[in-house]
Amino acid sequence: MSTSFSDQNYNRSVIGRSLVDLNHLSSETIHSLFNESLKLKTEYAQNKWSKQTELKGLAALLFFEPSTRTRFSFESACVRSGVHPLVLDGGQGTSLEKGETLEDTVLNIEAMKPLFFVIRAPDEFPFLQLAQQLDVPMINAGWGMKGHPTQALLDMLTVYEKFKTVENKNVLFVGDIKHSRVVSSHLQLAEKLNYQVGYCCPDSFMPQQASLMNPRLHLFNKLEQALNWADAAIALRVQKERHFGEKLDLQSYVERYALTPHSVKALKSDALIMHPGPINYGVEMDQAITRDPRAVILNLVQNGTFLRQAVIQSVLNGGVFQ
Ligand code: NCD
């Protein structure tokens, strides 16, 4: 199966049933996902969710790359939506070990007619192509370095919950920006919701020059200036598995870019400190930062379950992702 399916080649009205990227979502659709997520959160706190959980069917959650938060959060969201999740976790013990392709794995599981797929897969996976060809809608749960739409959505849900708007907010990324699919999805989301994106990282973590021409982007050399600018500071994990043998000077990274009790003094008093997890403590942040009153790292995880539940409900209702 060819993986060179370009953006022009696929039919957006079919792909709108699926959530592969954020390029074609409207601001209204995103705000209705946010408002639905917050409504679900309130209902969950009031213990109302159990009343709506008659079994609707099965979903196939295929995680071809490692995951903790995203997988459990989609599993929770499925159960809360009355959908039983069938999970492939990493592929150990499956026919992938016999050389079966990811595409064939998906096609065979599609034959069992799940209500939808949730898929985490490497860059080469033909997500857009399959989303157009298959009858079953697909939700992207992390696609190589290309995108992680529900992570960007849950980050901004948390900003929205705090400030009641995300418009014109300054969202700063500190860390391994070059290898981050979370940043890729934020660039798409920032276009829709009109927020500013800041980068603060060493040259070796900076994406290619061409992608830095975006007028929405603010580049910072000094962590202090960057933190001072931010309404939300998102620290990113140094993605050692994506550096393919490059030598990393972590010591000098920590000295200049780590979030520490000292460096976060530069943040505004009402700013948010975020991290999508997993965290390398002592590299991108000190453990003490998790106790800073501005840190919302576990709130993100909690909000992620409701955001994903809202996405699943939309998928079950035919999708609104265009
Ligand atoms: C991120 C991911 O897997 O893209 N984490 C997550 O989904 N919560 C970030 C990372 O791996 O560093």
Side-chain angles (χ1 to χ4, degrees):
M1 205 173 276
S2 157
T3 54
S4 60
F5 216 66
S6 79
D7 200 55
Q8 296 90 40
N9 289 11
Y10 60 85
N11 179 348
R12 272 282 163 191
S13 62
V14 175
I15 226 133
R17 297 171 314 168
S18 294
L19 183 64
V20 181
D21 61 39
L22 299 170
N23 280 328
H24 295 260
L25 265 71
S26 66
S27 166
E28 293 72 44
T29 300
I30 298 162
H31 279 97
S32 67
L33 283 173
F34 286 174
N35 292 327
E36 182 60 22
S37 309
L38 295 178
K39 190 175 134 235
L40 290 165
K41 186 174 181 176
T42 308
E43 286 175 2
Y44 192 74
Q46 296 165 347
N47 215 11
K48 286 198 190 143
W49 74 282
S50 54
K51 298 199 181 116
Q52 14 164 311
T53 48
E54 113 220 8
L55 187 63
K56 297 186 183 76
L58 307 171
L61 278 52
L62 311 183
F63 281 76
F64 299 119
E65 286 190 341
S67 174
T68 301
R69 279 150 291 273
T70 308
R71 180 167 71 77
F72 273 84
S73 137
F74 269 112
E75 284 189 67
S76 313
C78 281
V79 171
R80 291 177 194 173
S81 309
V83 177
H84 182 94
L86 301 173
V87 185
L88 182 151
D89 182 12
Q92 219 185 353
T94 72
S95 291
L96 289 163
E97 289 185 336
K98 301 179 191 164
E100 187 163 37
T101 62
L102 302 189
E103 292 92 315
D104 257 358
T105 306
V106 173
L107 292 175
N108 278 271
I109 294 172
E110 196 218 8
M112 301 175 200
K113 298 293 167 215
L115 293 172
F116 56 88
F117 281 108
V118 173
I119 298 184
R120 171 167 286 196
D123 282 300
E124 316 75 70
F125 184 73
F127 232 124
L128 290 166
Q129 187 175 357
L130 286 172
Q132 171 159 277
Q133 286 173 354
L134 303 191
D135 285 335
V136 176
M138 303 178 123
I139 302 172
N140 173 354
W143 182 16
M145 292 189 274
K146 290 185 179 163
H148 192 353
T150 58
Q151 181 69 43
L153 286 168
L154 75 88
D155 289 341
M156 295 316 287
L157 167 65
T158 307
V159 174
Y160 178 74
E161 188 180 31
K162 159 104 186 176
F163 296 106
K164 311 295 170 231
T165 179
V166 303
E167 188 150 6
N168 295 322
K169 292 294 170 205
N170 294 335
V171 176
L172 173 72
F173 292 94
V174 185
D176 191 355
I177 294 165
K178 184 175 169 180
H179 297 100
S180 175
R181 54 186 170 209
V182 179
V183 174
S184 309
S185 288
H186 268 278
L187 289 179
Q188 295 171 4
L189 193 56
E191 284 303 316
K192 304 293 162 182
L193 299 185
N194 196 24
Y195 58 92
Q196 309 303 310
V197 174
Y199 287 175
C200 185
C201 64
D203 287 348
S204 54
F205 289 175
M206 198 55 99
Q208 289 189 338
Q209 202 59 32
S211 70
L212 303 179
M213 307 314 278
N214 185 335
R216 215 167 268 291
L217 269 183
H218 299 249
L219 304 183
F220 296 93
N221 283 322
K222 291 216 162 24
L223 183 61
E224 192 180 348
Q225 280 168 2
L227 290 174
N228 205 265
W229 171 86
D231 296 302
I234 306 184
L236 295 171
R237 184 175 66 88
V238 176
Q239 309 239 334
K240 293 176 195 147
E241 75 278 21
R242 301 199 200 271
H243 283 266
F244 305 115
E246 288 166 44
K247 215 166 166 295
L248 291 172
D249 183 358
L250 288 183
Q251 190 49 42
S252 83
Y253 176 83
V254 172
E255 279 159 24
R256 291 187 59 197
Y257 299 101
L259 300 191
T260 64
H262 176 73
S263 67
V264 299
K265 285 190 180 137
L267 268 175
K268 295 173 202 161
S269 60
D270 66 345
L272 296 172
I273 303 174
M274 298 160 56
H275 192 306
I279 303 173
N280 295 308
Y281 290 117
V283 182
E284 61 265 9
M285 71 166 55
D286 277 11
Q287 193 145 17
I289 295 297
T290 59
R291 296 186 290 276
D292 187 296
R294 295 164 294 183
V296 289
I297 296 162
L298 295 180
N299 306 46
L300 291 172
V301 178
Q302 193 192 19
N303 281 348
T305 60
F306 301 109
L307 184 276
R308 288 171 176 134
Q309 195 180 342
V311 167
I312 286 170
Q313 285 180 3
S314 291
V315 167
L316 294 175
N317 290 332
V320 287
F321 306 119
Q322 48 193 323

